Amino acid sequence: MIDRGAAAGHGTTPSAVTVVKGACPHDCPDTCALDVHVRDGIAIKVTGSGGHAPTAGVLCTKVARYTERTYHPDRLLQPLRRVGKKGEGRFERISWEEAIAAIARRLEPIAAEDPEQILPYSYAGTMGLVQGESMSMRFFHKLGASLLDRTICASAGTAGHEITLGSRIGVDIELADEAKLIVFWGSNAITSSVHFWARAQQAKRRGATLVAIDPYRSLTAEKCHTHIALLPGTDSALALGLMHVLIRDGLIDRDYIERHTLGFEGLRERVAAYDPARVAAICGITAGEIESLAHLYGTTRPALIRANYGLQRARGGGMGMRNIACLPALTGAFRDAAGGIFLSTSGNFAVDSHALGRPDLLAGRRPRTINMSTIGHALLDEAAPIRALIVYNSNPVAVAPDSTRVARGFAREDLFTVVLEHFQTDTADYADIVLPATTQLEHLDVVKPYGHYYLVANNPAIAPLGESKPNSEIFRLLARAMGFTESCFGDSDEVIAQAAVAKDWDFNAVRAAGWKRVGAPKEVARFANGGFDTPSGKVEFYSARAEALGLDPLPDYIAPQEDTRSAAAARYPLAMISPPARNFLNSSFVNVQSLRAAEGEPWLDIHPDDAAKRGVIADSYVRVFNDRGSVELRARVTDRARLGVVVGLSVWWKKLARDGKNANELTSSDTLTDMGRAPTFYDCLVEVEAL
């Protein structure tokens, strides 16, 4: 424990405060530039950088408490070795030398026999290019370990966007306040993109109309002029219905279509079948809502769609994003700098993934690829076994779908598991060796955003606490212990940061400034004259690439796997979604007491009519269940949840819930999305009963 009084020189004149430039590393589009205020080696507060246009001096409630997380009394500060059964979370302290030697002893014979039986498991616990997939991937490539298909969050929406528009360039957030219509499609920006929401509020003050399309009346939907509460997984149908009305009523830009799109006639024929009455029945809304939104969208300029990844977490999720991406091409919304569609801006940045991960270290080997979304199946597959697992930047026991199966896989006594972590998470409880990792305040990095046009540098503000080490250093130590001699394993973090985007920057200059803008100049409509990153250079209503993949080359509707109108709905009639809680970020920050106190406990929002039918009383506990499992939640009876849909805000650590479970007991890993091989978290039927 740090004695802050002693560290600050109690009884003496306080030292001056130094401000260190940093970057938020978390899985959020805003990628804030941070000012870390340090006195006598102690970070005393973290604020948003006022000079960074997207951050504008403002942080979300989570990152504003980053010192509380860094100095948390439960921080892992020494390596640990398991002494209890897997899942019990009982460990003893060991030295770094013992930990690294023990890991090497276990990995060496597996690697000699079949290195593909070793698997990395990681995602966006940090979005940093240095502490994410750099030295770690060099290690696994040299080893010849199985590759990980990192699909758990965005791959379906990415695939749908790429088939239609190409790379995710997105609209410059600094122009969003110039839009006259902003459609939040599957986006609760107040929770997941607070800085975009600030721009939208400015647009609203200037007369813009805000529309939310979401099964749940989220915090964002509550503050929009219009909320369309469609059924989960029906977004692609709604987009088809809007296109039907736009074309039928002549609310399209024929010149833009002729010059900059491909396959319009096929699209027109396809959407003719999706009249408002049919679509309304699919989506559980009214035909009038479809007609009104289509006319608003077709007659307002600039019109901006802020889409997010929640809408792609159903079987037809890729098609949903594909269909939505067609809309701005039909109306010519791309002609305006503040118009078009914004899913992500990550396509602006030419990151050198080869320099970071060094796939040449595979030396011609082609290891198998395992989908992270089906990790439960993979860990229980005796025909193609995984014998060693190294987890970093992720908490799969809490966040992966089909959690009961995942936990069974992690509980295998013959599975050797190493976890790099800040805290003893649900996943760390199953580890054989736990290695303490540094937080963002303690290491160097560079973060690529997906919500604006600025690469952001992170300087270490304080020394690593305890014996914690950066991910990069941990994998350097493992490489040395495994006898890897390639010079790349000696690269410093500074060398890696420079190599990450070598064509675009001088890292030392950027870390001094804090950030660098990349991409088009401001006030430029990127696609006013076409130039899309597709094979044709146009918006592809008809996609030969999709056809080559065995997909429908034209937009269509793919019903959810667990459709509320299917036979399965007789047993499980309620659709469940589990979007992020405002004070958590996936499973990060759940153990920060002030943030958890704000959330209270795991809740289930249920419509009054659905509650009355089941005898559910407000604030009582309910059992939510299906064939995959069950979870006990406290009921909030509210019309924020539409009829037929229940909402369990997530993702709670299971050990911090009253029954040791979370919403992923109910989600499936048996069915993946139509494209992108992604999980179907929001394609989930359940029943609810009072306890």
Side-chain angles (χ1 to χ4, degrees):
M1 178 67 68
I2 295 172
D3 183 339
R4 292 173 187 256
H10 185 67
T12 63
T13 302
S15 301
V17 172
T18 300
V19 177
V20 180
K21 294 184 182 299
C24 177
H26 291 285
D27 188 3
C28 167
D30 292 19
T31 308
C32 292
L34 308 179
D35 288 341
V36 185
H37 300 251
V38 180
R39 177 186 287 130
D40 294 322
I42 304 295
I44 56 176
K45 67 177 179 178
V46 177
T47 59
S49 293
H52 182 243
T55 303
V58 176
L59 295 180
C60 69
T61 57
K62 301 176 281 288
V63 178
R65 291 177 168 86
Y66 210 84
T67 55
E68 186 178 345
R69 187 175 190 273
T70 297
Y71 295 113
H72 196 292
D74 295 337
R75 263 292 296 276
L76 293 171
L77 298 178
Q78 300 89 24
L80 303 173
R81 175 168 54 204
R82 178 170 64 92
V83 295
K85 293 182 179 179
K86 290 200 170 187
E88 287 183 343
R90 293 171 51 218
F91 297 92
E92 65 179 1
R93 179 177 175 178
I94 58 174
S95 69
W96 270 103
E97 291 75 13
E98 290 175 292
I100 296 297
I103 295 167
R105 281 197 304 271
R106 291 297 297 270
L107 294 184
E108 282 171 346
I110 301 173
E113 179 184 334
D114 181 3
E116 292 185 23
Q117 294 182 351
I118 301 169
L119 178 70
Y121 193 102
S122 65
Y123 198 65
T126 174
M127 298 289 285
L129 299 177
V130 178
Q131 306 304 334
E133 307 303 337
S134 63
M135 194 61 70
S136 60
M137 289 312 301
R138 296 178 187 188
F139 176 80
F140 291 114
H141 284 146
K142 174 63 179 176
L143 199 61
S146 287
L147 304 175
L148 185 71
D149 198 6
R150 291 176 171 83
T151 61
I152 201 164
C153 181
S155 62
T158 297
H161 188 286
E162 288 182 348
I163 281 174
T164 309
L165 302 178
S167 298
R168 293 165 295 163
I169 301 298
V171 172
D172 188 346
I173 185 178
E174 296 177 64
L175 304 178
D177 54 1
E178 298 177 9
K180 294 303 181 185
L181 170 65
I182 301 178
V183 179
F184 291 92
W185 203 318
S187 174
N188 181 10
I190 290 178
T191 292
S192 62
S193 186
V194 66
H195 297 87
F196 184 89
W197 177 249
R199 301 277 179 169
Q201 287 290 90
Q202 179 64 22
K204 184 179 181 181
R205 287 189 286 271
R206 294 175 175 176
T209 300
L210 307 186
V211 176
I213 301 173
D214 196 316
Y216 179 56
R217 197 171 76 240
S218 66
L219 296 172
T220 301
E222 283 188 330
K223 291 177 169 53
C224 289
H225 297 93
T226 301
H227 174 213
I228 298 177
L230 76 178
L231 288 167
T234 64
D235 303 86
S236 58
L238 177 55
L240 292 166
L242 294 175
M243 287 190 274
H244 174 102
V245 176
L246 290 169
I247 295 171
R248 182 199 69 192
D249 294 353
L251 302 172
I252 59 176
D253 186 331
R254 295 188 179 277
D255 178 69
Y256 194 89
I257 291 169
E258 182 178 343
R259 292 173 182 268
H260 306 304
T261 73
L262 183 69
F264 173 70
E265 292 305 322
L267 176 72
R268 175 159 56 184
E269 183 177 341
R270 174 63 55 84
V271 304
Y274 287 93
D275 60 87
R278 180 189 177 191
V279 170
I282 293 171
C283 298
I285 57 178
T286 67
E289 288 175 291
I290 300 166
E291 298 271 4
S292 294
L293 179 57
H295 278 262
L296 178 65
Y297 184 71
T299 58
T300 307
R301 296 275 297 269
L304 173 59
I305 296 174
R306 175 56 171 115
N308 212 344
Y309 290 103
L311 68 92
Q312 48 108 68
R313 295 187 176 125
R315 179 172 64 168
M319 184 66 81
M321 190 63 70
R322 169 160 166 59
N323 294 2
I324 294 165
C326 293
L327 288 164
L330 278 180
T331 62
F334 285 121
R335 294 187 188 275
D336 301 310
I341 183 169
F342 173 19
L343 173 64
S344 168
T345 62
S346 60
N348 283 285
F349 306 98
V351 171
D352 191 341
S353 58
H354 188 281
L356 287 173
R358 293 294 300 275
D360 56 295
L361 293 168
L362 284 168
R365 295 170 294 181
R366 295 187 177 182
R368 65 176 174 170
T369 298
I370 291 175
N371 191 331
M372 70 184 309
S373 298
T374 57
I375 186 63
H377 291 276
L379 290 176
L380 297 172
D381 185 353
E382 296 180 1
I386 297 169
R387 295 169 58 195
L389 183 66
I390 300 181
V391 180
Y392 55 104
N393 300 336
S394 190
N395 182 13
V397 173
V399 304
D402 201 355
S403 190
T404 300
R405 193 192 305 266
V406 173
R408 280 174 50 212
F410 270 84
R412 284 173 38 208
E413 283 295 332
D414 65 326
L415 175 69
F416 178 63
T417 303
V418 178
V419 175
L420 286 61
E421 255 299 353
H422 302 137
F423 301 101
Q424 194 172 321
T425 61
D426 291 334
T427 303
D429 283 344
Y430 288 85
D432 295 284
I433 300 288
V434 178
L435 301 177
T438 47
T439 69
Q440 192 75 347
L441 303 191
E442 302 157 84
H443 57 231
L444 182 140
D445 217 329
V446 51
V447 185
K448 182 188 81 170
Y450 61 98
H452 57 71
Y453 285 9
Y454 296 79
L455 286 159
V456 189
N458 185 77
N459 295 283
I462 59 174
L465 299 191
E467 299 176 24
S468 62
K469 296 183 185 296
N471 287 351
S472 54
E473 180 60 18
I474 293 172
F475 283 103
R476 286 188 196 96
L477 294 173
L478 289 172
R480 191 176 307 136
M482 295 293 290
F484 300 164
T485 59
E486 286 79 1
S487 61
C488 68
F489 291 108
D491 286 352
S492 67
D493 287 358
E494 288 82 359
V495 168
I496 296 171
Q498 176 59 43
V501 278
K503 296 177 182 178
D504 290 318
W505 72 354
D506 173 349
F507 176 67
N508 285 329
V510 175
R511 68 185 293 195
W515 54 82
K516 178 182 178 180
R517 183 180 166 94
V518 176
K522 295 179 184 178
E523 307 298 334
V524 170
R526 297 284 287 272
F527 303 112
N529 296 305
F532 294 91
D533 183 18
T534 59
S536 66
K538 299 180 177 183
V539 175
E540 296 197 350
F541 299 142
Y542 179 94
S543 170
R545 279 193 299 176
E547 190 171 33
L549 293 171
L551 304 171
D552 195 322
L554 287 166
D556 206 350
Y557 171 60
I558 299 173
Q561 176 72 18
E562 300 188 9
D563 196 332
T564 53
R565 300 178 300 171
S566 68
R571 296 177 62 203
Y572 303 117
L574 298 172
M576 179 175 179
I577 60 174
S578 45
R582 182 176 188 177
N583 291 288
F584 304 156
L585 205 161
N586 299 320
S587 74
S588 297
F589 298 97
V590 180
N591 65 320
V592 175
Q593 179 58 40
S594 61
L595 296 171
R596 192 165 75 254
E599 292 297 330
E601 61 181 306
W603 292 87
L604 183 81
D605 286 1
I606 183 170
H607 190 275
D609 292 352
D610 288 325
K613 185 176 180 180
R614 293 161 177 81
V616 171
I617 300 171
D619 293 331
S620 66
Y621 288 100
V622 296
R623 175 175 173 258
V624 190
F625 63 96
N626 58 23
D627 288 340
R628 290 179 288 273
S630 66
V631 60
E632 295 179 10
L633 303 172
R634 197 167 184 177
R636 279 192 296 223
V637 178
T638 170
D639 62 2
R640 292 181 65 182
R642 62 152 289 160
L643 188 66
V645 176
V646 292
V647 182
L649 300 177
S650 294
V651 178
W652 283 80
W653 288 14
K654 299 202 291 185
K655 68 168 71 178
L656 297 178
R658 71 190 296 264
D659 61 345
K661 299 178 180 180
N662 69 17
N664 280 321
E665 305 291 329
L666 307 169
T667 55
S668 173
S669 61
D670 292 329
T671 300
L672 298 176
T673 52
D674 55 331
M675 54 186 87
R677 309 165 307 284
T680 54
F681 287 111
Y682 299 173
D683 197 329
C684 177
L685 291 181
V686 301
E687 181 55 290
V688 175
E689 64 181 11
L691 286 177

